[in-house]
Amino acid sequence: LILDRLTRHPQTGDRMLLGRTLQTLERNVLEPMRRRYGTRVVSQSDSKGVVRIGGRPFYTAGAGRRDDAEKLQGLGLVYAYGDEITTWHPDVFQMLKSRLSCAGARFDGTCNPEHPAHWLKAGLLDRPDLDVKQWHFTIDDNPFLPPDYVANLKREYAGVFYERYILGRWVLAEGRVYPMVSERPEEFILRGPADAFGTPRGPACRWYISVDYGTVNPCSMGLWCVFKAGGAGPQAVRVRELYHDSRRAGGQKTDEEYYGDLKALAGGLPIRRVVVDPSASSFIQVIRRHREFPVWKADNSVADGIRVTAGLLGAGRLRFHESCRDTLREFSLYRWDDGKSADAPLKENDHAMDDIRYFCNTIMTRETL
């Protein structure tokens, strides 16, 4: 498409490629083009972020943050291409529209659908007064994807993510956030001795702990074993958990008491990292002061974290020991907030769900084993 536009559009004016970040633009657009056409047609980016395609320069930029809009100021664009538009900050898109100022200027873009009230759909795609053409595709419309890969993707996604990423529909998030766990418990719940993991009887593990901190609200901690299993990527098992509900227990705990719980949960295992709710600054400082466990502030992105967690569940890469009763209880109760137009889970029955999300979005996205 980009090469076709080069031959059909005016030669004067700037050209630009945008993605959520420069890294995702490279991964999703530029590297596939280089593999297909070679570096003589699609060059590497220079020190100023300029790529030459068919001999003509293209500026490149990320679009996921509000301040990315500043990178477009002063341009007079004749052509722009956008990747993953629904992940952009809307201010960037508004700035881009004002920069497509040359005669015959055109913008092409791709995205996965989101919720129907998303700014792209409501402010552009659903407006009959604008000259916008859109095409709908499902996963089966891509002739370049191997059948086995497509089949694996269809197994990986469920619920709203299947509707959007497989069927290409703009749908609301409704019902349970992770329906697959309650619908197919035999695939996710491990029964038997919990200490089989990380011992000579089980796989070699990398050990992690994830924490959703709470004083009045419940505090949830999970001990994870991450290990290599076949070619599907690292697997993770939640071996055991600690869940303290101050209302149910009749009393709150101090940071030092929670640190004692953390140490007991670790059980002398070589913990590679503890990931903690980034808002729990006092508890993070307590962990650092004891100098026993390396600690990270967790990636607390809700929508991205849920998507990553759902993908790992769908791919069969997360399992839970039967002793993690509060986790399994929350899986059956954790629901989307049907009263909101944007994707948001209800803020209830979500404490184990949050610490699992921290683990997936902070650790499993980095683990390569």
Side-chain angles (χ1 to χ4, degrees), residues 1 6 79 121 139 152 156 189 253 267 276 280 341:
L1 178 61
L6 284 178
Y79 180 70
K121 183 168 176 59
I139 195 71
N152 287 334
E156 179 176 331
I189 301 175
K253 291 188 175 184
V276 183
S341 58

Side-chain angles (χ1 to χ4, degrees), residues 302-364:
V302 178
D304 283 348
I306 288 175
R307 177 183 54 79
V308 168
T309 303
L312 291 168
L313 287 166
R317 292 173 56 190
L318 295 180
R319 291 178 293 167
F320 310 88
H321 189 261
E322 62 180 343
S323 63
C324 300
R325 294 185 181 88
D326 283 295
T327 290
L328 300 177
R329 174 183 59 81
E330 286 194 4
F331 268 125
S332 69
L333 299 172
Y334 190 46
R335 304 181 68 84
W336 295 107
D337 189 343
D338 297 340
K340 293 187 176 179
S341 58
D343 293 348
L346 286 168
K347 289 301 295 175
E348 55 188 41
N349 303 299
D350 62 348
H351 306 286
M353 299 297 96
D354 283 353
D355 95 62
I356 290 169
R357 173 165 54 84
Y358 301 155
F359 168 74
C360 292
N361 213 26
T362 311
I363 300 300
M364 290 297 281

Side-chain angles (χ1 to χ4, degrees), residues 25-65:
L25 182 65
E26 278 283 338
R27 183 189 66 213
N28 297 342
V29 179
L30 293 172
E31 276 305 312
M33 288 182 69
R34 292 186 191 109
R35 288 195 298 269
R36 185 177 180 88
Y37 301 110
T39 54
R40 295 183 65 180
V41 176
V42 183
S43 75
Q44 299 291 338
S45 300
D46 66 17
S47 60
K48 296 182 179 179
V50 175
V51 174
R52 301 191 76 84
I53 301 176
R56 297 188 179 92
F58 281 72
Y59 297 104
T60 61
R65 302 180 305 173

